[in-house]
Amino acid sequence: MEDNNILEVHNLKISLPVREKRVMFIRGVDLSLPKGKILALVGESGSGKTLTARSLMSLLPKAARIESGEILLKSKTGDEPGTDLAKLSHARIVNTVNARRIGMVFQDPLTTLNPTMTVGKQLAEGYKVHEHRFAGEAKKRALELLASVGLPEPERCFKQYPHELSGGMRQRVIIAIALSLNPDILICDEPTTSLDVTIQARILELLKKLQAERQLSVLYITHDLGVVAEIADIIYVMYAGRIVEEGSRSDILYHPAHPYTWGLLSSVPDMSFKEERLISIPGTPPDLSSGLRGDPFAPRNAWALPEDFEEEPPMFRLSSTHAVRSRLYDGAHTPPPLPENLARRIGNRSSAAEKEERHD
Amino acid sequence: MTETPLLTVSNLKQYYGTGKKRVRAVEDVSFTICPEETFALVGESGSGKTTVGRTIIRILPPKGGKILFGGKDISGKLSGEERKELSRKLQMIFQDPMSSLNPSEKAGDIIARGLDIHRLYSSRTERREKVLSIMKEVGLPEEAFDRYPSQFSGGQRQRIAIARALIMNPELLIADEPVSALDVSVRAQIINLLKELQRKRHIAMLFIAHDLALVRQISDRVGVMHEGKLIETGTAEKIFGHPSQPYTKKLLDSVPVLYPEDTGSSGTGEV
Ligand SMILES: Nc1ncnc2c1ncn2[C@@H]1O[C@H](COP(=O)(O)OP(=O)(O)OP(=O)(O)O)[C@@H](O)[C@H]1O
Ligand SMILES: Nc1ncnc2c1ncn2[C@@H]1O[C@H](COP(=O)(O)OP(=O)(O)OP(=O)(O)O)[C@@H](O)[C@H]1O
Ligand SMILES: [Mg+2]
Ligand SMILES: [Mg+2]
């Protein structure tokens, strides 16, 4: 395990049954989360981001099977070899290995919260179980946390049941619960999608503060590339169960290499004017259950090479931080220039933004 | 605007709970939506946007104020027949896709639900064809017909919810965060699709969303909510270009942007 990584995923493959057939939805994912960094995992809807995240806590659907791979969590002291989470049950992970090392915020707020328990009870419960605190003190901490995630009336919220809260309030409660045990790693799956942007900004601030103060490492899954630009140190792009590009924030935002990444960045709408038609990537995602041949993105890729239809490309390294799964970068081909609209958008801004980046 | 509105909401009030636990979720909210128009509700989380939507489709009876839909007052007590009629013309896409989809029903049957209730087909084959055609339009593969909600990703579930609403060909579609669970490319596809269907089928839309860039793309007029009140209403150009309320300004300033100094001009069409 590399020294500064707190978590490493190697060649993870996960299958699920679809109509009596086992389908590989995660097809070999490699991912490294360095300590104290925020890693954003972005990509197509249905590409396997949630499955990947859930596997880290052994919280996969019952029918799911890890077919291969390791999920290494570095030991607290760092000198022992990491623990392979892929081999442990959820109960083992929570109770023994890392009672409080990983916190998780799930995509579906209503399904995570217990509908029969008040918010306060759910929060305080965690403290009591893990920290043996008295009820009074647990309550005080719980109220502080509810305030820190931007809930306007913590006292009221404390006494309410999940269904009595708005979508965004529920989401903040879940974030509070995840942070309540002071984890080393926080896994967030779409944590701010139902929040208004002012509260979202607050949550992002809070995460950055925890990152700076106590080296919190974050795996952040989102569809909001503006958010990614705001908080990510590292970005991984996923398509059809595999990572297709990885790099630093500036690698991916200012020097994107994979045609899928180009399409994604181009699809972000502009707030300053109204477009007749939004840009999107043509075609539909592959149906993994009907078998794959070659690069699953090839049919939608204007830059696909003949051999892409035969065999999926490996990752090619562009720099020590940047790698891409595309034969356009195998050295034998001349990579095409960025699509015009994207080049224009990145355009002159890249020089200024990059200078800023090198600064910190 | 000289056109007769399809929907007129005046001084709408909605509360939850009673006595000391009473929450004033919506207070004196008024707006209109014309046929084919898209009116967006944006604003603070918890400010009552979903509650407004739920009250219009009469999941909740209004605690005060009036709702006129197609010239008819729908704020009072409704007969079963009136309810049924309303459920065909008014459709809502709910915010939380998982909890709004029956987990024990197959996707195809969930989507066909409205057709079943209103008997809008003459054979099983026609039913299946109608469902498959809308599934295709929202980007769901055919094999999704026989799968259950838990077997889909968050974004795929959202498409089921969109298909279920669109198959009814409503006059007014209330879309509560309809695309927030989707990746940006699919978001763009669905927004393009909604715009297109809106033109083709003359659907009016109440669009509730936190993604302001998207709201800019789809809406004709925008209302900003804060603490249960509608604090500002105007054309999209006005709200985005010259917001008058401090809260609206704060909202616009908080939007995280991909390329900070981006001033626009990114072209149209597909990549
Ligand atoms: N329980 C299940 N049974 C069968 N297939 C499943 C199950 N859960 C997920 N899948 C499939 O696995 C794939 C990956 O799902 P996952 O939820 O990880 O996607 P995602 O990247 O998180 O998407 P989104 O951005 O839409 O949330 C999807 O194609 C989905 O249909
Ligand atoms: N069933 C309920 N019982 C009690 N209070 C409720 C209930 N549903 C909503 N509320 C309260 O009503 C207010 C408005 O909620 P609503 O869901 O309409 O907000 P929203 O604007 O849609 O927020 P978000 O953007 O977070 O989805 C909130 O204060 C919420 O706590
Ligand atoms: Mg997901
Ligand atoms: Mg809502």
Side-chain angles (χ1 to χ4, degrees):
Chain A
M1 200 161 175
E2 200 162 315
D3 235 18
N4 58 342
N5 291 337
I6 185 158
L7 188 78
E8 281 179 15
V9 175
H10 298 294
N11 194 28
L12 183 67
K13 292 185 180 164
I14 300 172
S15 72
L16 272 155
V18 175
R19 285 173 306 181
E20 277 99 58
K21 219 169 61 188
R22 287 212 82 84
V23 177
M24 202 73 88
F25 282 107
I26 304 298
R27 303 179 306 113
V29 163
D30 294 287
L31 183 151
S32 306
L33 175 61
K35 189 168 162 58
K37 297 282 183 208
I38 298 181
L39 185 158
L41 181 57
V42 303
E44 190 218 6
S45 168
S47 60
K49 303 178 297 296
T50 298
L51 284 180
T52 303
R54 283 185 164 259
S55 72
L56 306 180
M57 289 284 269
S58 199
L59 277 177
L60 290 168
K62 270 201 195 67
R65 199 157 70 204
I66 296 189
E67 301 283 351
S68 84
E70 293 177 315
I71 301 167
L72 297 178
L73 175 71
K74 192 177 220 163
S75 68
K76 202 98 192 166
T77 48
D79 40 18
E80 299 147 55
T83 316
D84 187 358
L85 301 181
K87 300 207 163 52
L88 302 175
S89 69
H90 177 65
R92 272 294 297 282
I93 293 179
V94 169
N95 296 327
T96 59
V97 185
N98 59 322
R100 313 155 24 181
R101 294 196 59 200
I102 309 182
M104 183 149 187
V105 177
F106 288 113
Q107 193 167 10
D108 259 307
L110 264 190
T111 52
T112 334
L113 291 169
N114 181 342
T116 64
M117 249 176 150
T118 62
V119 164
K121 224 178 162 152
Q122 297 190 45
L123 253 174
E125 201 76 346
Y127 284 126
K128 276 192 287 181
V129 172
H130 287 289
E131 302 195 350
H132 312 288
R133 281 168 190 265
F134 297 114
E137 201 189 332
K139 177 168 182 190
K140 196 172 141 257
R141 281 271 320 261
L143 287 175
E144 280 168 15
L145 253 171
L146 291 174
S148 77
V149 292
L151 281 161
E153 295 170 78
E155 285 278 359
R156 160 154 90 98
C157 184
F158 193 86
K159 286 189 238 137
Q160 279 176 313
Y161 288 92
H163 75 271
E164 297 175 327
L165 302 172
S166 79
M169 293 164 122
R170 271 179 226 139
Q171 223 165 3
R172 277 173 277 173
V173 167
I174 295 177
I175 296 172
I177 291 176
L179 288 175
S180 67
L181 300 168
N182 264 326
D184 295 335
I185 302 174
L186 185 66
I187 301 167
C188 299
D189 195 355
E190 302 276 0
T192 62
T193 24
S194 48
L195 300 179
D196 71 63
V197 287
T198 68
I199 292 164
Q200 170 171 287
R202 219 168 139 159
I203 303 267
L204 298 182
E205 272 311 303
L206 177 67
L207 290 183
K208 281 200 266 191
K209 192 177 126 211
L210 293 172
Q211 179 191 22
E213 279 174 4
R214 23 174 305 256
Q215 293 248 68
L216 177 71
S217 315
V218 183
L219 173 64
Y220 198 103
I221 298 174
T222 181
H223 289 305
D224 190 330
L225 294 167
V227 168
V228 171
E230 189 118 317
I231 64 158
D233 301 301
I234 300 162
I235 303 172
Y236 278 65
V237 184
M238 196 157 178
Y239 188 83
R242 286 198 106 165
I243 303 299
V244 295
E245 186 167 0
E246 62 177 87
S248 68
R249 175 182 175 280
S250 96
D251 289 338
I252 304 291
L253 297 185
Y254 294 97
H255 308 283
H258 198 286
Y260 176 69
T261 313
W262 297 345
L264 212 54
L265 293 172
S266 307
S267 303
V268 176
D270 210 299
M271 207 168 66
S272 45
F273 70 106
K274 187 165 178 168
E275 285 161 286
E276 201 27 56
R277 222 184 132 68
L278 296 172
I279 297 181
S280 68
I281 304 168
T284 47
D287 176 2
L288 295 177
S289 66
S290 61
L292 269 185
R293 185 189 163 95
D295 179 354
F297 188 59
R300 306 174 70 182
N301 183 0
W303 294 271
L305 300 164
E307 52 269 46
D308 291 339
F309 291 90
E310 302 301 320
E311 206 186 330
E312 193 167 17
M315 284 297 245
F316 291 96
R317 248 200 193 275
L318 304 177
S319 75
S320 63
T321 53
H322 195 179
V324 58
R325 191 179 294 284
S326 161
R327 289 197 179 83
L328 296 169
Y329 305 88
D330 63 1
H333 295 87
T334 318
L338 283 182
E340 204 195 318
N341 62 70
L342 186 58
R344 209 176 324 131
R345 227 166 147 176
I346 296 175
N348 39 21
R349 284 168 286 276
S350 61
S351 44
E354 274 183 290
K355 237 176 264 151
E356 195 184 305
E357 194 122 313
R358 253 180 264 130
H359 231 79
D360 47 50
Chain B
M1 216 164 280
T2 50
E3 217 174 336
T4 343
L6 174 66
L7 178 81
T8 307
V9 172
S10 25
N11 304 98
L12 190 70
K13 288 190 197 6
Q14 189 58 267
Y15 309 136
Y16 292 105
T18 48
K20 252 175 64 188
K21 277 197 82 175
R22 188 159 95 163
V23 179
R24 294 164 173 270
V26 173
E27 290 240 55
D28 273 323
V29 164
S30 306
F31 60 88
T32 59
I33 305 181
C34 289
E36 284 178 66
E37 188 185 38
T38 298
F39 180 70
L41 274 183
V42 303
E44 201 192 10
S45 166
S47 61
K49 303 179 297 296
T50 298
T51 305
V52 167
R54 284 158 46 104
T55 309
I56 294 171
I57 65 161
R58 293 297 311 266
I59 290 178
L60 304 167
K63 294 278 157 53
K66 235 193 180 102
I67 308 169
L68 291 178
F69 180 66
K72 226 173 131 220
D73 187 347
I74 58 162
S75 38
K77 216 170 152 43
L78 300 176
S79 70
E81 204 46 45
E82 284 171 318
R83 257 183 196 284
K84 200 170 156 190
E85 172 84 0
L86 206 59
S87 78
R88 197 167 56 78
K89 294 180 176 168
L90 247 171
Q91 285 288 319
M92 180 155 174
I93 300 169
F94 293 91
Q95 186 167 11
D96 205 327
M98 194 54 192
S99 59
S100 73
L101 303 178
N102 181 349
S104 59
E105 253 187 313
K106 290 177 179 167
D109 294 324
I110 292 175
I111 296 169
R113 181 87 201 286
L115 298 182
D116 294 343
I117 292 174
H118 297 276
R119 298 241 141 260
L120 296 177
Y121 47 82
S122 49
S123 66
R124 295 299 286 182
T125 330
E126 190 190 343
R127 177 183 185 263
R128 193 175 164 90
E129 270 164 13
K130 281 191 165 172
V131 173
L132 288 179
S133 132
I134 198 81
M135 281 172 56
K136 190 160 172 231
E137 279 196 285
V138 301
L140 284 168
E142 236 185 275
E143 48 96 14
F145 193 102
D146 293 313
R147 280 158 71 183
Y148 295 94
S150 67
Q151 301 174 321
F152 291 96
S153 77
Q156 290 165 330
R157 272 179 222 141
Q158 191 66 67
R159 283 186 243 195
I160 298 174
I162 293 171
R164 172 176 64 178
L166 285 180
I167 202 167
M168 295 307 291
N169 225 335
E171 288 175 21
L172 176 68
L173 177 66
I174 301 178
D176 194 357
E177 298 279 1
V179 294
S180 59
L182 303 170
D183 71 65
V184 280
S185 171
V186 179
R187 254 184 229 189
Q189 268 172 17
I190 299 234
I191 292 298
N192 288 338
L193 170 74
L194 285 175
K195 277 182 167 179
E196 203 182 296
L197 289 173
Q198 193 171 20
R199 262 196 302 263
K200 255 196 335 221
R201 306 183 180 178
H202 315 291
I203 305 171
M205 200 155 40
L206 175 62
F207 190 86
I208 302 172
H210 287 302
D211 183 337
L212 295 173
L214 215 59
V215 166
R216 178 81 178 93
Q217 298 309 320
I218 197 163
S219 54
D220 302 301
R221 287 185 307 122
V222 179
V224 183
M225 285 195 70
H226 187 65
E227 293 180 354
K229 298 199 182 70
L230 200 54
I231 56 165
E232 182 168 8
T233 320
T235 62
E237 288 74 34
K238 157 87 180 38
I239 299 284
F240 284 90
H242 311 279
S244 61
Q245 292 294 320
Y247 179 74
T248 311
K249 285 180 193 148
K250 185 173 159 203
L251 211 55
L252 292 173
D253 286 342
S254 309
V255 176
V257 277
L258 184 52
Y259 299 112
E261 301 103 281
D262 204 342
T263 47
S265 73
S266 51
T268 54
E270 295 188 322
V271 195

